[in-house]
Amino acid sequence: MRHTTVGIVGGGPAGLLLARLLHLEGIDSVVLESRDRAYVEQRQRAGILEQTTVDALRAAGAGGRMDREGLVHHGIELRFDGGAHRLDLPALTGGRSVMVYAQTEVVKDLVALQLAEGGPLLFGAEVRSVEGADTDRPVVRYTHQGREKELSCDYVVGCDGFHGVAKRAVPEAERRSYERTYPYSWLGILADAPPAYDELVYAHSERGFALASMRSPTVSRLYLQVPNGTDPGDWPDERIWAELDLRLRADGGRSPNRGPVTAKSVLPMRSHVTEPMRWGRVLLAGDAAHIVPPTGAKGLNLAAADVLVLARALSRRCATGSTELLDAYSDTCLRRVWRAEHFSWFMTTTLHTEPGQDPFRTRLQLAQLERVATSPHAAAELAENYVGPATPAGPSAPGGR
Ligand code: RFL
Ligand code: PHB
């Protein structure tokens, strides 16, 4: 049976970044990804990177194209009640900003690096189970090219997303799940149209939430709140543009620029945390352990934050034999996870309109948004959460091992 130091289940951003950080520490790993390369590289998802994620990608040697093509954003706009309010992120957070650089591009950069200089990254390798979490040699069972295979590991990291199998390595009696679903989804489109706004626009409206984001100076990414169970086929392009106009246009404001729609999909909204994030020699990272609704732009950033803590902990373990950081891994990550869960829930419930929402709730939402627009303290609270913590989490942050 093949053996590796760290078996990584899932080749999304969490798994790929972990493999890269371990490689730079001289720790070998194998990444097993069930999908093919094209699918993983084209999956439309996150767009906003916090500073610590940007720093992590640079430290991983994956920052070259990001620094050339990524768009640094110093503000976001909140639209509500017919008006618009800009949050100046650096002014409110002591100089921090975010970067717009799509997850698809992060994944492409990390895949290219891994294939060029890293350990094995197997596409089409579907993990069936992770066994022996409480032994010294956990085993990953997977199927590749029609054959059943096994990988013996010193540690296994489950980076296999919300529907992954790795979390089942934590005995059911010991696993705690916390979950919230929301009575609405997002319809997301990509359009070949220059973004009409310089910064992201988050719009509250009684017709439902809308978000104007971007992928590049020529590609817009736009979202509309829609009912759960919506069929994208019920939303021809013309209907989408008309609805975006109604929701995004503040008093005297501009409509989004229109252009050919190149992708259209509906995504449900969910909050979820699985605890603990470690059982024996199996550790969970990213969406495998926690999901946030996308309104706070936290999912990818949490995945990167977990992986930074984990790479440092595994590196300490390999260099010194100490399991101190590994022992602290779950608690260390969960502090940041729950902060992000709260922020994502807050942004979601403040900006969306529930089906049949009563006017009282709408007035509460507007009062909260008004508070952010008029109180520097409330604005700073939102901005700090949006740009994320200044340093990576962890007992030894920011850096030393
Ligand atoms: P992923 O990306 O889901 O990757 C998991 C990988 O594991 C593979 N896999 C398996 N492989 C082998 N064997 C198995 N049995 C396997 N089961 C699964 C899968 O094929 C996949 O490749 O999780 P990861 O790496 O933890 O990364 C998490 C992020 O993808 C996610 O949190 C973000 O995309 C969330 N998110 C956003 N996050 C942000 O930080 N900023 C944003 O602006 C933002 N916007 C978004 C988002 C997520 C969205 N959707 C679609 C949920 C916008 C959207 C619309
Ligand atoms: C995106 O660009 O896809 C995006 C940006 C901000 C969010 C969610 C998604 O809050």
Side-chain angles (χ1 to χ4, degrees):
M1 189 193 315
R2 181 180 194 164
H3 181 81
T4 186
T5 306
V6 183
I8 300 177
V9 186
L16 293 166
L17 180 58
L18 178 63
R20 180 69 191 160
L21 293 172
L22 293 177
H23 173 75
L24 294 175
E25 294 290 336
I27 300 170
D28 66 289
S29 70
V30 173
V31 182
L32 302 171
E33 165 57 49
S34 58
R35 302 292 194 144
D36 64 28
R37 180 177 179 180
Y39 182 91
V40 168
E41 290 186 344
Q42 275 151 35
R43 201 164 30 194
Q44 272 306 320
R45 288 199 167 174
I48 297 286
L49 308 181
E50 294 175 3
Q51 189 61 50
T52 51
T53 308
V54 167
D55 292 343
L57 289 167
R58 285 183 187 142
R65 197 162 66 93
M66 175 187 74
D67 282 327
R68 286 192 304 278
E69 297 178 14
L71 309 167
V72 176
H73 277 205
H74 298 304
I76 56 170
E77 193 168 290
L78 297 176
R79 294 196 180 172
F80 59 96
D81 216 11
H85 179 79
R86 178 174 188 262
L87 294 182
D88 181 330
L89 298 174
L92 291 163
T93 63
R96 283 179 285 149
S97 309
V98 293
M99 186 182 283
V100 176
Y101 188 63
Q103 182 167 327
T104 46
E105 308 314 298
V106 172
V107 167
K108 279 180 208 160
D109 295 345
L110 289 169
V111 166
L113 273 173
Q114 185 70 14
L115 293 176
E117 10 176 299
L121 160 57
L122 306 186
F123 290 103
E126 175 150 11
V127 172
R128 304 283 179 193
S129 67
V130 177
E131 284 158 31
D134 46 9
T135 70
D136 286 349
R137 285 284 160 102
V139 171
V140 179
R141 295 190 203 288
Y142 65 102
T143 318
H144 190 227
Q145 295 170 334
R147 305 243 291 276
E148 302 284 326
K149 306 233 166 129
E150 291 180 348
L151 177 67
S152 136
C153 311
D154 291 344
Y155 288 91
V156 176
V157 184
C159 298
D160 48 351
F162 180 62
H163 298 288
V165 299
K167 62 165 85 80
R168 289 191 227 138
V170 183
E172 209 166 338
E174 308 292 342
R175 221 186 305 150
R176 300 179 297 278
S177 301
Y178 304 86
E179 179 151 303
R180 175 110 337 157
T181 54
Y182 298 85
Y184 33 74
S185 302
W186 279 12
L187 174 69
I189 62 162
L190 271 182
D192 285 335
Y197 320 107
D198 293 338
E199 297 174 338
L200 268 62
V201 177
Y202 290 80
H204 174 280
S205 119
E206 290 192 30
R207 301 183 67 87
F209 170 73
L211 169 61
S213 180
M214 62 191 73
R215 286 291 174 265
S216 73
T218 54
V219 177
S220 296
R221 176 78 168 148
L222 298 144
Y223 297 99
L224 281 174
Q225 175 189 339
V226 291
N228 284 343
T230 292
D231 175 356
D234 291 341
W235 284 83
D237 299 356
E238 185 51 42
R239 182 177 177 202
I240 295 176
W241 292 117
E243 192 63 32
L244 283 166
D245 273 0
L246 290 169
R247 297 190 194 179
L248 282 169
R249 218 171 28 204
D251 283 347
R254 301 183 56 185
S255 297
N257 292 327
R258 299 187 180 194
V261 174
T262 56
K264 196 184 291 187
S265 59
V266 169
L267 7 134
M269 314 273 278
R270 186 195 300 275
S271 302
H272 178 101
V273 181
T274 293
E275 297 181 356
M277 287 171 60
R278 173 196 179 195
W279 190 258
R281 286 179 174 244
V282 176
L283 302 110
L284 304 175
D287 279 16
H290 40 72
I291 297 284
V292 285
T295 330
K298 289 286 153 233
L300 173 58
N301 294 299
L302 280 181
D306 288 351
V307 158
L308 277 175
V309 175
L310 189 48
R312 197 182 301 129
L314 286 166
S315 163
R316 167 87 70 89
R317 166 73 177 82
C318 290
T320 68
S322 165
T323 62
E324 186 194 5
L325 296 183
L326 281 174
D327 294 340
Y329 171 71
S330 182
D331 289 345
T332 302
C333 292
L334 285 168
R335 275 195 294 278
R336 182 183 187 127
V337 166
W338 278 109
R339 173 87 301 277
E341 288 289 345
H342 181 272
F343 176 64
S344 305
W345 167 86
F346 164 80
M347 289 288 279
T348 302
T349 54
T350 303
L351 288 165
H352 291 71
T353 302
E354 292 194 355
Q357 177 162 307
D358 62 276
F360 181 79
R361 189 179 166 87
T362 305
R363 302 300 291 197
L364 290 180
Q365 290 177 323
L366 293 175
Q368 180 59 38
L369 291 164
E370 189 63 30
R371 167 103 185 128
V372 171
T374 53
S375 155
H377 299 289
E381 167 70 8
L382 194 154
E384 270 188 26
N385 278 290
Y386 194 79
V387 301
T391 54
S396 67
R401 335 206 111 86

